[in-house]
Amino acid sequence: MERREEQNLEFTMDNVEKALHQLYYDPNIENKNLAQKWLMQAQVSPQAWHFSWQLLNGGKVPEIQYFGASALHIKISRYWGDIPAEQYESLKTQLFAQISTFASGSKIVLTRLCVALASLALNMMPDTWPHAVPDMVQVFQAEGGQADCGARCLALLELLTVLPEEFQTSRLPPYRKSQVRSCLAQECACVFPLLRQLLQQSDSPGFVKQKVLKCFSSWAQLGIALTECEGLTLAAFSALRDPELFDSAVESLVNTISQPDAQRYVNTLLKLIPHALGLQDQLHQAVQNGDIETSHGICRIVVALGENHSRALLEQVDHWQSFLALVNMIMFCTGIPGHYPVNETTSSLTLTFWYTLQDDILSFETEKQAVYLQVYRPVYFQLVDVLLQKAQFPTDEEYATWSSDEKEQFRIYRVDISDTLMYVYEMLGAELLSNLYDKLGRLLTSSEQPTSWQHTEALLYGFQSIAETIDVNYSDVVPGLIGLIPRININNVQLADTVMFTIGALAEWLADHPVMISKVLPLVLHALGNPELSISSVSTLKKICRECKYDLPQYASNIVAVSQEVLLKQIHKKPSPLTLLAEPGPMTPIVQIRLINTLLAEHGPMTPIVQISLVLAEHGPNPSNKLAIIHILGLLSNLFTTLDISHHDDDHEAAEVKKLPVVQGPNPVVLVLQQVFQLIRKVLGTWLNDAQVVEAVCAIFEKSVKTLLDDFAPMVPQLCEMLGQMYSTIPQASAIDLTRQMVHIFAHEPAHFPPIKALFLLVTSLTLSLFQQGPETQAVPLLVQRAGCQGCLSVRCHLIKVSRDSHCPF
């Protein structure tokens, strides 16, 4: 189909067939796209009413017939208003005839024709076709026609299945949708007996029963009363024993039980519990045989019953034992043997249930809640044991065989377990921590048998999960835990990571109990030298430095020694040495000064950063180099946000600063900045025309000025010159913001008046000149983009604000 012919080609059967052949078989992708575009236009054209029926001719291939059926569905569902009312009956008759024809033909064409008839029925119900569903059943139950009895039965089941599905996606107006839903709900009295009869007939073939269960599942999602579904629901439970029907039965039961209104029918729910409990033998057998699909399906059923209706079932106090048995069955699913996701995929389905059950129990009034807690607190203590067992890593040998995707799924699974443990703490309280501490203590002090690192790691992970989000400052077991940590034989990376994160989670507690810092800080500093522990060790040191900074001077020498070694040897490739330096956050000034001196060393960690940046700059502008440059500029920006040895907010730190030796000459931070300044000049030499790089450069100096304030003075002339050059090349809002900051801080100093004045006049002149040229000027959007300005007046106000805020005499 040539491009020039596309617009003028008539929508006829022959042309549609040619376009379909081109779509399916032409190797040229452009021709395929042209054909698809033209066919989409053909489907919605008035001529579609004519060629659709012609394409359904028995001599056509299924792809062509399918297009004809799809075109009919589109015309009926989207353009119903275009169909004259006097043609409804004729259209209905033709669709019934075509479905009868294709009952023994192509299944994909049959399904599409059924969807078309379902759309017709939904548009005609209830006024024009009040008994649509009984009429459908009657037509296909009648003798005669081209299809045999079995084919007609399958065609009817397909039609009844797609009818509710089409309703869910239909474009009916809200008032019509409510009207049709009510009508369909009443029609279940016609459909369900037929389905039950087919399902219970001993001579019904397996594929027919599968269609029956799928049809039931479709109707159940209409929100039909659970009492109406009771018979079919019990029949579906029986079908679970047939491997051929198992998957279809699971879907139908989960969809039926999960309906929101089902909780209104408590008596029916109570009838279902014994049937769910009756699946335990089948569940245990599936687990024993490694049948993941069967165990997964049964778990879905019991979790749907428990999770959606826990409160309704809890309130049935006369049946508390049967619900407790269901809870224990879900507990078995939570603790199902094997490692997720390699040996099992079932346990993750249950975690939300435990949230729901706990919320429902704690929502009762105090007296009633106390009764339930007496029953369910032991269950939740058992749950903790089960979850920690499931959180354990496999053996090193087995873990080495896992794919990266499996390891990532397991990591996410452990995070879900961690969230669950944190939530369970609300019910179990301090007793949970005592329970974990006792187990860890017995594990680490037992001399009877060697302890697996996986068991130790899981218990620590439990502590970490709770301590990260719960205030444990008043817990009486944390001192004992801090005392136990040094006794752990750390011979594995995963165990070492968890030890680090556990210490980090207890950083606030250490701030209140500084005498215990000496117990754990050596472990953190030792881990800092291991590149495999980059994330955990750096993160933990950061937390300790932030929370315990007032108590760190006595440890400063050790922190500096280890940090210098790590930085100089570049042990941590990811994160980079600069990230490592920036991460610890608000350290004591002693530590910061010594680490700054490390940065200034001849072969310090700045050297490779500078070298990499120079190489990238020399290669010229290209997308991959640009991303690397912006990343390095971002690291530098964070670095200068962190480094601060001169300005402190409280008397405690001020007193500490007074004890430091006086720094001779310029601020050491400025020396680092001057080293970086030459790098930035080189980068701008290549990237001066790139707005994103210029913005990243401005961010470095904006944060540097904010950190250093008056100490930035030696850099003022160089920055003013560079800023003027950047703004002259690409005017943008970040440069205006930095100019405003410079004027605000330095315009009153006589020594800085000339460069600041020159910069201000340059920025003002260029900006006003740009906006006098009109908004179509290319640079205007860059000014407006980030400053929130909406036009010339806004930018002028921005510049006026610079003058006003600074009382600038310019």
Side-chain angles (χ1 to χ4, degrees):
M1 185 180 299
E2 298 294 336
R3 182 185 297 273
R4 61 179 177 270
E5 297 176 359
E6 178 188 353
Q7 300 299 326
N8 301 323
L9 208 59
E10 293 184 11
F11 298 124
T12 64
M13 181 188 71
D14 291 338
N15 288 336
V16 169
E17 289 193 55
K18 290 176 183 177
L20 286 168
H21 187 276
Q22 183 171 305
L23 178 65
Y24 285 116
Y25 303 112
D26 194 318
N28 188 303
I29 189 65
E30 185 177 356
N31 289 341
K32 284 179 179 288
N33 292 336
L34 285 173
Q36 184 177 27
K37 181 179 178 181
W38 186 87
L39 287 167
M40 291 174 65
Q41 295 172 348
Q43 278 187 317
V44 300
S45 68
Q47 292 87 345
W49 286 116
H50 304 290
F51 67 68
S52 295
W53 301 109
Q54 296 171 333
L55 294 175
L56 290 169
N57 186 289
K60 309 293 184 184
V61 295
E63 292 87 348
I64 292 176
Q65 294 171 331
Y66 179 84
F67 182 82
S70 295
L72 285 173
H73 171 244
I74 289 174
K75 295 297 289 183
I76 294 171
S77 60
R78 300 185 188 177
Y79 302 97
W80 177 253
D82 297 342
I83 306 174
E86 59 270 15
Q87 293 184 12
Y88 292 170
E89 286 300 320
S90 172
L91 185 55
K92 182 203 309 181
T93 302
Q94 286 180 286
L95 284 171
F96 270 125
Q98 289 292 344
I99 291 173
S100 178
T101 299
F102 280 92
S104 302
S106 171
K107 298 306 177 188
I108 61 169
V109 181
L110 171 65
T111 299
R112 214 66 206 149
L113 288 169
C114 288
V115 172
L117 181 57
S119 182
L120 178 75
L122 295 174
N123 280 289
M124 294 176 67
M125 293 170 64
D127 299 330
T128 312
W129 195 2
H131 305 295
V133 176
D135 289 349
M136 293 175 185
V137 174
Q138 183 179 0
V139 167
F140 287 99
Q141 282 184 332
E143 295 289 340
Q146 301 178 32
D148 60 27
C149 180
R152 291 201 310 274
C153 178
L154 288 174
L156 174 60
L157 289 173
E158 184 67 22
L159 179 57
L160 293 177
T161 300
V162 302
L163 182 60
E165 294 172 352
E166 178 68 9
F167 170 77
Q168 303 288 4
T169 60
S170 66
R171 302 185 178 189
L172 295 173
Y175 79 96
R176 283 276 296 131
K177 202 150 192 172
S178 175
Q179 191 180 41
V180 174
R181 179 190 293 274
S182 176
C183 185
L184 286 174
Q186 295 174 10
E187 300 293 5
C188 73
C190 168
V191 175
F192 284 4
L194 172 64
L195 299 182
R196 191 162 57 248
Q197 177 186 352
L198 291 171
L199 194 58
Q200 294 174 343
Q201 280 180 353
S202 58
D203 59 343
S204 290
F207 59 86
V208 171
K209 292 183 178 181
Q210 282 183 339
K211 293 292 295 182
V212 167
L213 290 168
K214 184 178 178 182
C215 183
F216 172 45
S217 178
S218 179
W219 279 79
Q221 294 180 71
L222 289 174
I224 294 171
L226 191 59
T227 50
E228 299 290 336
C229 304
E230 184 178 326
L232 271 173
T233 304
L234 298 179
F237 269 108
S238 300
L240 290 170
R241 293 191 292 268
D242 187 339
E244 187 181 2
L245 305 179
F246 182 83
D247 291 340
S248 301
V250 168
E251 290 298 327
S252 63
L253 285 170
V254 170
N255 286 336
T256 303
I257 294 170
S258 301
Q259 289 303 306
D261 282 349
Q263 60 185 339
R264 295 167 49 197
Y265 307 98
V266 178
N267 290 333
T268 302
L269 290 173
L270 291 172
K271 291 179 185 178
L272 300 182
I273 290 181
H275 292 273
L277 296 176
L279 300 173
Q280 291 186 84
D281 290 341
Q282 188 176 355
L283 174 61
H284 290 136
Q285 189 68 36
V287 171
Q288 184 177 344
N289 296 335
D291 185 352
I292 297 178
E293 288 77 14
T294 298
S295 58
H296 192 86
I298 293 175
C299 177
R300 288 183 61 199
I301 295 169
V302 295
V303 168
L305 187 56
E307 186 177 314
N308 288 285
H309 311 296
S310 61
R311 185 176 182 89
L313 295 172
L314 278 169
E315 291 177 333
Q316 309 309 306
V317 293
D318 294 337
H319 300 272
W320 69 272
Q321 289 176 312
S322 63
F323 182 60
L324 181 59
L326 184 70
V327 171
N328 287 327
M329 189 174 176
I330 296 176
M331 180 75 76
F332 176 83
C333 294
T334 303
I336 202 163
H339 287 100
Y340 182 96
V342 177
N343 311 116
E344 61 91 7
T345 57
T346 297
S347 56
S348 62
L349 300 177
T350 67
L351 297 181
T352 306
F353 164 76
W354 299 108
Y355 286 86
T356 304
L357 179 61
Q358 177 176 317
D359 284 344
D360 288 335
I361 291 173
L362 297 181
S363 68
F364 288 118
E365 58 274 14
T366 306
E367 293 183 5
K368 199 171 184 180
Q369 184 184 127
V371 175
Y372 285 111
L373 287 176
Q374 188 176 358
V375 175
Y376 286 99
R377 272 176 63 87
V379 173
Y380 273 83
F381 274 112
Q382 181 187 354
L383 173 65
V384 172
D385 293 339
V386 168
L387 291 176
L388 293 180
Q389 175 69 31
K390 295 297 297 182
Q392 287 187 23
F393 280 88
T395 63
D396 295 335
E397 296 76 13
E398 182 182 350
Y399 192 65
T401 65
W402 286 17
S403 68
S404 58
D405 184 58
E406 288 169 339
K407 290 178 179 178
E408 176 62 12
Q409 288 185 57
F410 182 61
R411 185 195 67 80
I412 296 171
Y413 175 67
R414 279 170 50 96
V415 171
D416 292 339
I417 288 178
S418 175
D419 292 341
T420 307
L421 289 171
M422 179 271 295
Y423 205 73
V424 167
Y425 181 85
E426 185 180 353
M427 175 181 280
L428 302 182
E431 192 177 346
L432 172 57
L433 290 178
S434 300
N435 184 283
L436 293 175
Y437 172 71
D438 291 342
K439 290 178 179 177
L440 184 62
R442 288 195 298 270
L443 201 64
L444 296 178
T445 58
S446 174
S447 58
E448 297 179 1
Q449 56 184 3
T451 302
S452 72
W453 70 264
Q454 289 92 341
H455 197 175
T456 304
E457 191 276 338
L459 286 169
L460 274 178
Y461 187 67
F463 267 109
Q464 174 202 331
S465 302
I466 296 167
E468 280 182 335
T469 51
I470 304 297
D471 184 4
V472 296
N473 285 353
Y474 302 102
S475 171
D476 56 359
V477 304
V478 176
L481 173 63
I482 295 291
L484 285 175
I485 287 177
R487 303 186 58 164
I488 299 173
N489 179 23
I490 303 177
N491 55 5
N492 178 276
V493 172
Q494 285 85 15
L495 175 58
D497 263 334
T498 302
V499 169
M500 288 298 103
F501 285 126
T502 303
I503 294 172
L506 297 173
E508 288 187 32
W509 186 91
L510 289 170
D512 293 334
H513 305 82
V515 70
M516 303 299 283
I517 295 176
S518 61
K519 299 280 188 182
V520 294
L521 186 58
L523 292 174
V524 178
L525 295 180
H526 178 74
L528 206 62
N530 187 342
E532 293 185 290
L533 303 177
S534 289
I535 295 176
S536 59
S537 60
V538 171
S539 171
T540 299
L541 182 58
K542 175 184 177 180
K543 290 180 179 179
I544 291 176
C545 289
R546 181 177 64 237
E547 301 297 339
C548 310
K549 58 183 177 180
Y550 301 140
D551 304 293
L552 289 184
Q554 59 184 306
Y555 307 106
S557 296
N558 288 339
I559 295 175
V560 169
V562 174
S563 298
Q564 283 178 336
E565 181 181 7
V566 169
L567 289 169
L568 291 173
K569 292 183 178 180
Q570 300 176 44
I571 289 175
H572 298 277
K573 304 301 180 185
K574 295 181 179 180
S576 73
L578 285 182
T579 307
L580 177 66
L581 181 64
E583 277 297 304
M587 290 186 181
T588 60
I590 295 174
V591 177
Q592 285 199 348
I593 287 178
R594 294 184 185 178
L595 289 180
I596 291 169
N597 290 333
T598 303
L599 275 178
L600 294 172
E602 183 178 355
H603 300 291
M606 287 293 295
T607 303
I609 296 297
V610 173
Q611 291 173 345
I612 292 171
S613 301
L614 291 176
V615 170
L616 291 173
E618 289 171 358
H619 275 77
N622 68 68
S624 59
N625 285 358
K626 175 180 173 180
L627 291 176
I629 286 288
I630 290 176
H631 175 68
I632 290 174
L633 294 175
L635 288 177
L636 293 171
S637 179
N638 291 334
L639 174 66
F640 292 115
T641 302
T642 302
L643 295 178
D644 182 9
I645 65 168
S646 302
H647 303 281
H648 302 276
D649 297 328
D650 52 57
D651 296 336
H652 190 293
E653 293 194 16
E656 184 184 0
V657 173
K658 291 176 183 177
K659 298 177 185 177
L660 295 176
V662 177
V663 179
Q664 300 298 324
N667 189 315
V669 181
V670 176
L671 296 179
V672 179
L673 186 58
Q674 287 174 334
Q675 183 179 355
V676 171
F677 198 89
Q678 302 309 314
L679 163 66
I680 293 175
R681 277 190 181 279
K682 185 70 175 179
V683 169
L684 285 177
T686 305
W687 295 92
L688 187 58
N689 292 307
D690 189 284
Q692 289 180 293
V693 173
V694 170
E695 185 174 340
V697 168
C698 288
I700 291 177
F701 289 108
E702 187 175 350
K703 292 180 179 179
S704 302
V705 171
K706 193 175 297 183
T707 299
L708 293 170
L709 297 177
D710 292 338
D711 287 343
F712 189 84
M715 303 287 296
V716 169
Q718 300 173 71
L719 180 57
C720 287
E721 180 185 355
M722 180 185 289
L723 192 52
Q725 183 183 9
M726 289 190 296
Y727 196 77
S728 298
T729 305
I730 297 186
Q732 58 180 3
S734 57
I736 292 182
D737 290 336
L738 183 54
T739 299
R740 176 189 172 191
Q741 192 176 28
M742 295 286 289
V743 170
H744 186 75
I745 297 173
F746 297 108
H748 296 293
E749 300 292 333
H752 304 309
F753 191 88
I756 293 293
K757 177 181 178 181
L759 174 63
F760 181 83
L761 293 177
L762 173 67
V763 170
T764 304
S765 174
L766 281 175
T767 304
L768 296 179
S769 173
L770 285 171
F771 279 89
Q772 285 170 357
Q773 296 174 32
E776 68 277 358
T777 305
Q778 188 174 3
V780 170
L782 293 172
L783 290 173
V784 176
Q785 185 177 0
R786 286 188 63 252
C789 304
Q790 296 300 321
C792 173
L793 180 61
S794 298
V795 175
R796 289 180 182 177
C797 290
H798 190 64
L799 291 170
I800 292 169
K801 193 175 192 298
V802 171
S803 301
R804 187 182 66 244
D805 288 354
S806 309
H807 306 289
C808 180
F810 305 154

